[in-house]
Amino acid sequence: MSFPLLTATAVLPAIGAIATAAVPAAQRTAAKWLALLFSLGTLALAITVLVRFDPDGDRYQLTESHSWIKDFGVRYELGVDGIAVALIALTALLIPFIVLAGWNDADPLETGSRRWRPTQGFFALILAVEAMVIISFEATDVFLFYIFFEAMLIPMYFLIGGFGDRAHEHGEKAASTQRSYAAVKFLLYNLVGGLIMLAAVIGLYVVAGNFSLQEIAEARANGSLDMATNTERWLFLGFFFAFAVKAPLWPLHTWLPNAMGEATAPVAVLITAVVDKVGTFAMLRFCLQLFPEASKWATPAILVLALISIVYGALLAVGQRDMKRLIAYASISHFGFIIMGIFAMTSQGQSGATLYMVNHGISTAALMLVVGFLISRRGSRLIADYGGVQKVAPVLAGTFLIGGLATLSLPGLAPFVSEFLVLVGTFTRYPVIGIIATFGIVLAALYVLVLYQRTMTGPVKPEVSAMPDLRVRELVVVAPLVALLIFLGVYPKPVTDIVNPAVQQTMSDVQKKDPQPEVEAAK
């Protein structure tokens, strides 16, 4: 029996979560180093998955299959395609940076605090989320996927509500109230989506007789499973609703600004750069493969919702006073681009959407973590409380600028390539949608450059005059992310080579081909 590499990649951070939580309360530093060690071990396994994956090989590789709940046809089935491999690598890459960035975020506010092991709990919950996200990317049994799709809500709830941002303009009591509100809102929105998906999962079992993604998709493709049109559409909507909440797609997005605003910066990165990607990934893996006809039927409506997300998120980002909420609304706009690329039903659009998931994760992590370092120095999330930072902390200001320019998709930085592919892929089939979506780019330039101008330039405010520049630990967090943004902006081929074959297979699932150019190329 070959080594279960996919299981190991998900189980290692789960073991790390248990081990970190078990560290004695007084040994906070040991808990931090243990969490970092397990996150680096998970990254090593993810790199092994990446190396062993053959983009030109079978669709699902490194597969594992074991009987689990035999009476209901539930199996423990894992397998990865190029899209899953890229997102597992992203997740495993970001977690060590999240751990390092949050090194001091969960330490007790006062010496001798008797709260339940705050530091150990914080890092244990981060590793627990990592384990659940990774196995969600690996699961090819629908029921197995659903379990971890929902289970990750529990540690996220405690990370938002129990370890939220301490910087609040109205004091600790108001901060605690806002954290609780954000955590409950996050949980309720996602639970409602999950319950609707559960009904659809049960319906799928009634129709198909099993939960295996590969078996159901193959049966749909060869005609041995004939699903009634209305049944397929209702099942699709059940799955899509849950994924649209997680993504998040307008108008199901309202939990995200609250959650990201009240969470610590590393947890905000965990939400939008890691957890939310499960929603867009599942649209590609489950919606398009299991319900191809319903996916095509719903495409016009979904594209309109994605377009609203792009423009609406960008417009609200322009008017934000809170830096973290600004990034949250910018992420809503970016997820609109990702969903638009998925449902444009072109190879450029879906390749761009998958690449966008990776690039958005890196760019948002870079910007949000630098914002977190800035907030930890000043103790405020409000843009108006800053000014002239680049004169006293030039390295911090420089990394802030690079993260911001990546967010607005400046050519030469990673998100530009993915956003360009999404727009090209959308325009070739839906030109009006593609044209309107470009306004999102203009608005992105506005909210990023205004944010930089108000916080980093101008006269130095007295409150920031003694602000220290980035420390060694913070540079270790930010520098690799900046390097990746530049590298993938100039040379995205390593990622596109992995994801493109999986995208072509997804296009085949929905029986779509790229539109032919109306004008022949000159000979």
Side-chain angles (χ1 to χ4, degrees):
M1 183 177 179
S2 60
F3 180 71
L5 183 58
L6 297 185
T7 294
T9 307
V11 167
L12 185 62
I15 295 173
I18 297 169
T20 302
V23 173
Q27 303 297 321
R28 293 196 301 271
T29 302
K32 296 173 185 179
W33 281 105
L34 188 63
L36 181 61
L37 181 64
F38 272 98
S39 68
L40 291 173
T42 305
L43 176 59
L45 287 177
I47 292 172
T48 305
V49 171
L50 186 64
V51 170
R52 290 188 57 184
F53 181 79
D54 179 9
D56 298 320
D58 296 337
R59 180 170 193 171
Y60 292 106
Q61 299 178 34
L62 306 175
T63 56
E64 302 173 31
S65 181
H66 308 282
S67 180
W68 183 19
I69 309 175
K70 190 173 182 179
D71 291 342
F72 294 99
V74 180
R75 297 185 63 82
Y76 177 79
E77 284 190 348
L78 306 180
V80 288
D81 60 3
I83 298 169
V85 167
L87 293 175
I88 290 170
L90 171 70
T91 301
L93 174 70
L94 291 181
I95 295 299
F97 296 129
I98 289 171
V99 170
L100 278 173
W103 201 251
N104 301 317
D105 285 358
D107 288 344
L109 289 172
E110 65 279 348
T111 304
S113 173
R114 298 186 65 83
R115 287 191 303 163
W116 175 80
R117 299 184 181 184
T119 303
Q120 288 86 334
F122 180 74
F123 292 104
L125 290 169
I126 289 174
L127 292 175
V129 172
E130 179 182 24
M132 294 175 186
V133 168
I134 287 175
I135 203 165
S136 297
F137 290 141
E138 296 172 345
T140 56
D141 182 277
V142 176
F143 192 79
L144 178 66
F145 169 83
Y146 172 78
I147 289 174
F148 289 99
F149 180 80
E150 287 293 277
M152 70 180 71
L153 301 180
I154 299 170
M156 286 306 309
Y157 169 80
F158 287 109
L159 282 169
I160 297 168
F163 300 93
D165 195 346
R166 294 165 177 169
H168 197 285
E169 56 185 311
H170 299 302
E172 176 60 27
K173 186 176 180 180
S176 178
T177 301
Q178 289 298 317
R179 287 197 299 267
S180 298
Y181 172 76
V184 170
K185 189 173 184 180
F186 161 82
L187 188 64
L188 288 178
Y189 266 68
N190 284 275
L191 277 179
V192 170
L195 289 173
I196 292 174
M197 181 183 168
L198 177 59
V201 169
I202 295 171
L204 180 66
Y205 177 75
V206 171
V207 172
N210 65 79
F211 293 107
S212 174
L213 169 67
Q214 296 182 70
E215 290 182 17
I216 298 172
E218 288 172 7
R220 295 301 312 277
N222 61 32
S224 59
L225 175 59
D226 187 15
M227 200 178 292
T229 300
N230 285 338
T231 300
E232 180 177 350
R233 290 177 179 179
W234 280 113
L235 293 177
F236 168 85
L237 290 173
F239 277 78
F240 181 79
F241 183 87
F243 303 152
V245 172
K246 186 85 78 179
L249 178 67
W250 184 92
L252 306 171
H253 68 284
T254 58
W255 64 267
L256 183 65
N258 295 101
M260 289 185 65
E262 300 306 324
T264 63
V267 172
V269 171
L270 188 65
I271 294 169
T272 191
V274 177
V275 171
D276 287 354
K277 298 299 188 302
V278 178
T280 47
F281 163 79
M283 291 178 189
L284 280 165
R285 171 166 281 192
F286 295 100
C287 287
L288 269 60
Q289 283 192 57
L290 296 175
F291 316 110
E293 294 304 319
S295 297
K296 289 185 283 188
W297 162 76
T299 286
I302 294 172
L303 287 177
V304 170
L305 294 177
L307 184 60
I308 294 173
S309 287
I310 292 169
V311 178
Y312 171 87
L315 281 172
L316 264 67
V318 171
Q320 290 304 306
R321 297 166 56 243
D322 183 317
M323 287 187 286
K324 289 168 71 179
R325 289 179 69 90
L326 184 152
I327 298 172
Y329 280 109
S331 289
I332 291 169
S333 182
H334 295 150
F335 275 102
F337 277 108
I338 293 170
I339 295 170
M340 186 176 74
I342 291 170
F343 284 90
M345 302 293 184
T346 60
S347 58
Q348 299 100 324
Q350 291 188 358
S351 292
T354 305
L355 187 60
Y356 212 138
M357 291 186 225
V358 175
N359 292 339
H360 171 264
I362 299 170
S363 63
T364 300
L367 181 59
M368 179 60 86
L369 293 178
V370 173
V371 165
F373 298 148
L374 189 65
I375 292 170
S376 68
R377 286 157 165 75
R378 174 70 176 84
S380 173
R381 307 185 326 228
L382 299 181
I383 297 171
D385 288 341
Y386 296 86
V389 174
Q390 68 177 12
K391 295 177 183 177
V392 297
V395 177
L396 189 154
T399 54
F400 187 100
L401 179 61
I402 294 173
L405 293 177
T407 298
L408 65 81
S409 299
L410 183 77
L413 296 175
F416 169 76
V417 181
S418 42
E419 197 164 282
F420 179 78
L421 284 172
V422 166
L423 288 171
V424 168
T426 303
F427 184 83
T428 57
R429 199 181 293 278
Y430 302 98
V432 174
I433 297 287
I435 291 170
I436 298 175
T438 57
F439 285 101
I441 303 174
V442 178
L443 292 171
L446 180 62
Y447 62 69
V448 167
L449 295 178
V450 168
L451 171 65
Y452 184 83
Q453 179 190 38
R454 291 178 178 174
T455 56
M456 301 293 156
T457 65
V460 179
K461 290 199 171 185
E463 296 83 358
V464 304
S465 59
M467 180 177 288
D469 214 333
L470 291 182
R471 304 178 178 92
V472 174
R473 172 178 59 86
E474 296 165 336
L475 282 170
V476 170
V477 171
V478 175
L481 296 174
V482 170
L484 273 173
L485 288 174
I486 296 170
F487 175 77
L488 293 178
V490 177
Y491 189 65
K493 191 173 182 293
V495 181
T496 56
D497 283 351
I498 292 171
V499 303
N500 282 346
V503 165
Q504 293 300 328
Q505 290 164 334
T506 303
M507 289 283 291
S508 178
D509 291 333
V510 292
Q511 298 179 346
K512 281 282 191 177
K513 295 182 179 180
D514 291 329
Q516 294 299 313
E518 296 181 3
V519 179
E520 292 185 6
K523 296 182 180 179

